[in-house]
Amino acid sequence: SCRKRTVKSKRRSKRIRKRIHQQRAHQRADQQRVELSGVEPGPVEQSLARFEAIVRDSQDAIVSQDLAGRVLSWNIGAERISGYSASEVIGKTLQDFPDTALFFDADLALLEQVATGQSVLHYETRRRVKDGRTIEIQMTVSPLRNEFGKVIAISKIARDITEQNDAERALQRAKENADRANLSKSLFLANMSHEIRTPMNSIVGLVDVLEETPLTEEQRRILATVKRAGQSLLGLINDILDVSKVEAGKLRIEKIQFHLEETLDQVVELMASRAHDKKIEVVYEIDERIPLELQGDPFRLRQIMMNLLSNAIKFTERNGQVDLRVRFSEIMDKKVWVEFEVKYKGIGIAEDKLISIFESYAQAEVSTSRNFGGTGLGLNISQQLTELMGGTIGVQSTHGKGSCF
């Protein structure tokens, strides 16, 4: 094993000495050109020398060929990427390297295009290099012209993008795996929520039947508690089911004719008992310019407004007021754009929490769930439903004063 390491080390030393020898040869050639001129290099010569050094030492392969495909120049980057030295390839063409060609482009149509004076930018292809590996390169091919504008040669700048593409493909595979896992989770939650919702509907329905029978005050009190708990759990299940449907792409928006004022009346009536318990007044007004007969999904609109009004009532202090205003925005492409605004005074939302308030299970404070209840799904569902209907939703809030959605 010691002998093998010594041989390897010698080979590595040979490669390093060879590289140093090539660089010194280039430098001596530069010095000889200056000495032959017999004068100190001027600004133009210095500029050309710098340019030649940049091309020579670039990590990217920079190659020039005549129109017949013969290699005219081959920099250190081309040697590093291809494994071929300049002495091996200069003056040769594709036919000289039938199995391991790298920069000799077999695509005649590409060469013909460049020969007419056009450039080919960021062309990606695969090439086999000297050691037999296949690599991916990104190449830019440009025409080289003489002083009369005639194309006399072509230049190629190539970069090995194998590692970059491998990393991108790995990232894409990871994303696809995560998406599949997330979809499986959403489908599982949707199925489970559906299975739980069916018996819960039966429980709530049987409680309604029991309320119609003769009961003592104590029995009615217990039954009312069971009903509230059942309705709360049913609401949670419905929220989880809706989120899962949206994430799984299973939720569909209907387009039917409905009466806007009747839909909002239903929402306010459903919220009336909650508002009454806290002695909160719900005031709403509708812009007269809005046509009352519209087409859309009244069920999802009602769901969004109930989520917003429910939050407003929850976070408004006793004897407060919640305002619901519906304003006409514009008519565009035969669509009526309407702005709904729910405004209330209450605890408000801290500025650093506003950016995440519409995320699933997000709540403004850790203590919010403990003090006010809820899961943090309502606003996320409202946002996703609004976007499915082609709209947007936002919030303005001042901590300790109130919010406007």
Side-chain angles (χ1 to χ4, degrees), residues 233-244:
L233 183 56
L234 192 57
L236 172 60
I237 293 168
N238 286 335
D239 284 347
I240 294 173
L241 184 59
D242 284 337
V243 169
S244 302

Side-chain angles (χ1 to χ4, degrees), residues 263-275 302 306:
T263 301
L264 293 177
D265 283 342
Q266 293 170 6
V267 172
V268 174
E269 286 175 10
L270 288 168
M271 293 290 106
S273 61
R274 295 188 190 181
R302 185 162 55 242
M306 285 185 67

Side-chain angles (χ1 to χ4, degrees), residues 271-282 313 318:
M271 293 290 106
S273 61
R274 295 188 190 181
H276 178 73
D277 290 342
K278 293 181 68 176
K279 296 183 180 180
I280 292 171
E281 184 180 6
V282 178
I313 293 169
R318 292 182 66 84

Side-chain angles (χ1 to χ4, degrees), residues 246 285 340:
V246 171
E285 58 184 49
F340 298 85

